[in-house]
Amino acid sequence: MDREELTRWVGDTDAFLDDRWQTTPALFRHRPGTGPAAPLTLEEIDTAVAGGLLRVPHLEVARAGDPVHSSRYTRARTVAGVTTPGYADPDRLRRLLAEGATLVLRNVEHWHPATRELTGRLEEELGRRVEAFFFVTPPGAQGLDLHRDDADVLLLQVTGSKRWTVRDRPDGPDWSPGATGDGGPVLLAETVRPGEVLYIPRGSAHEAVGGDGLSSHLSLTIREVGTQNLFAALQRLLLDSLPLPARPLDDAALLATAELLLERFRARLPELTAAQVLAHARSAQRADGAVPGLGADPGLAALAERLGTPHGPAAGAAA
């Protein structure tokens, strides 16, 4: 399988998937011109914040491991007489960053087309849902305490540097993402600089502190399904297109419905494999995370072309 995008991030994809994937953290230092390019720049973030439409929950600020209340960096906007809170306030954000807070942009792929194209390519190559987060951290600052993520992470340092400490994965399957007091032995401690890529396996405890200059990095979280996803996938595969009454009224009807279920299970279970259930669960997870309409045809310009509608500067008439 061609993994052109993943190659840009980790180099030898076979070696990465065989030796590092889901097990061991790694730092990839690429030769100039060979590594990945950040689809989002600080200038574009400035434009998005100043434009007034970026808002919570795509926007978050944290400091020393604690989230900053959104009232400290957002403002309300009034449109058509309706006032809605949660919009980014550039001046308040600037002050908080100067005080050592970290800016977090969540699910950048929801609103930034180039980032969505990147996550889409990696989703195709890895067969898993990929989300994008962008972090901006002043020197010496730490936005999040030691924590575990429920995803494998590939992060690209864009500006400045950041000192990362990555510890071990959980001992068993019964663990929870979020802050942790004991992350086990240190497996990697490195300063990541612009153009370098850090890989953190799912569940590995990690923390980072801003280094030289204003640190900014793009984190791609590669989501994996869990037991509940597998259970839901099995239900869908077994019950797809089976007509079932919503509310059987008596014992006879309930028994008949139960028999329908058993007949379907007996017929389909022998045909199913664990690999089919897993593939279906991953496919459903990707579909659930898809951004409706982003980059789709027809957009407004494409629709105008199809309808023969003049548009652009030459169209120029007031509404």
Side-chain angles (χ1 to χ4, degrees):
M1 177 183 178
D2 180 29
R3 293 192 173 95
E4 183 177 348
E5 186 60 52
L6 184 61
T7 299
R8 279 192 279 268
W9 287 73
V10 303
D12 186 337
T13 57
D14 289 335
F16 170 71
L17 295 173
D18 290 341
D19 302 333
R20 300 287 188 174
W21 176 244
Q22 297 183 331
T23 60
T24 311
L27 178 62
F28 300 94
R29 292 187 168 104
H30 298 283
R31 297 190 307 276
T34 63
L40 181 68
T41 65
L42 293 180
E43 290 76 14
E44 287 179 294
I45 294 174
D46 285 338
T47 300
V49 170
L53 295 182
L54 193 60
R55 58 165 303 181
V56 173
H58 286 110
L59 178 80
E60 184 179 302
V61 175
R63 181 165 52 195
D66 294 321
V68 177
H69 195 275
S70 60
S71 62
R72 296 195 57 196
Y73 56 88
T74 64
R75 53 168 292 184
R77 291 184 177 273
T78 301
V79 180
V82 178
T83 301
T84 306
Y87 290 93
D89 185 308
D91 293 332
R92 290 178 176 179
L93 282 172
R94 192 178 301 112
R95 284 196 294 270
L96 285 171
L97 283 169
E99 294 169 3
T102 290
L103 170 64
V104 184
L105 299 180
R106 297 187 174 277
N107 290 103
V108 178
E109 77 280 1
H110 286 181
W111 56 270
H112 189 256
T115 301
R116 177 58 193 146
E117 291 173 4
L118 168 60
T119 58
R121 290 193 296 270
L122 281 174
E123 283 187 352
E124 289 296 326
E125 294 178 11
L126 293 171
R128 293 164 175 82
R129 178 174 163 186
V130 180
E131 300 171 336
F133 298 77
F134 200 94
F135 294 77
V136 181
T137 304
Q142 181 171 349
L144 303 176
D145 288 336
L146 185 69
H147 66 283
R148 301 184 190 275
D149 289 328
D150 193 13
D152 291 89
V153 178
L154 281 172
L155 68 87
L156 169 66
Q157 191 71 22
V158 180
T159 65
S161 66
K162 209 165 195 180
R163 178 71 179 178
W164 287 86
T165 302
V166 184
R167 298 177 179 270
D168 209 353
R169 296 189 299 159
D171 294 332
D174 295 320
W175 63 280
S176 298
T180 181
D182 180 15
V186 173
L187 301 184
L188 180 148
E190 293 279 1
T191 296
V192 185
R193 295 180 171 82
E196 297 178 347
V197 171
L198 178 64
Y199 169 65
I200 303 174
R202 180 186 182 204
S204 295
H206 57 279
E207 60 186 334
V209 178
D212 297 331
L214 184 67
S215 168
S216 67
H217 73 267
L218 176 69
S219 281
L220 301 180
T221 59
I222 304 161
R223 301 291 180 190
E224 186 55 282
V225 297
T227 303
Q228 288 300 316
N229 301 97
L230 295 173
F231 182 70
L234 180 59
Q235 284 184 303
R236 287 190 295 266
L237 287 167
L238 288 172
L239 301 178
D240 180 44
S241 74
L242 178 64
L244 291 172
R247 295 177 181 85
L249 287 172
D250 53 33
D251 284 355
L254 284 167
L255 285 170
T257 302
E259 186 59 37
L260 275 175
L261 289 170
L262 287 173
E263 287 177 0
R264 174 59 68 91
F265 285 11
R266 293 186 191 108
R268 289 202 171 180
L269 270 175
E271 303 172 355
L272 286 178
T273 66
Q276 287 175 317
V277 176
L278 177 56
H280 192 85
R282 285 173 174 163
S283 177
Q285 185 189 56
R286 288 178 58 193
D288 289 342
V291 183
L294 187 59
D297 182 25
L300 295 181
L303 182 59
E305 290 287 351
R306 285 173 44 175
L307 296 176
T309 308
H311 66 284

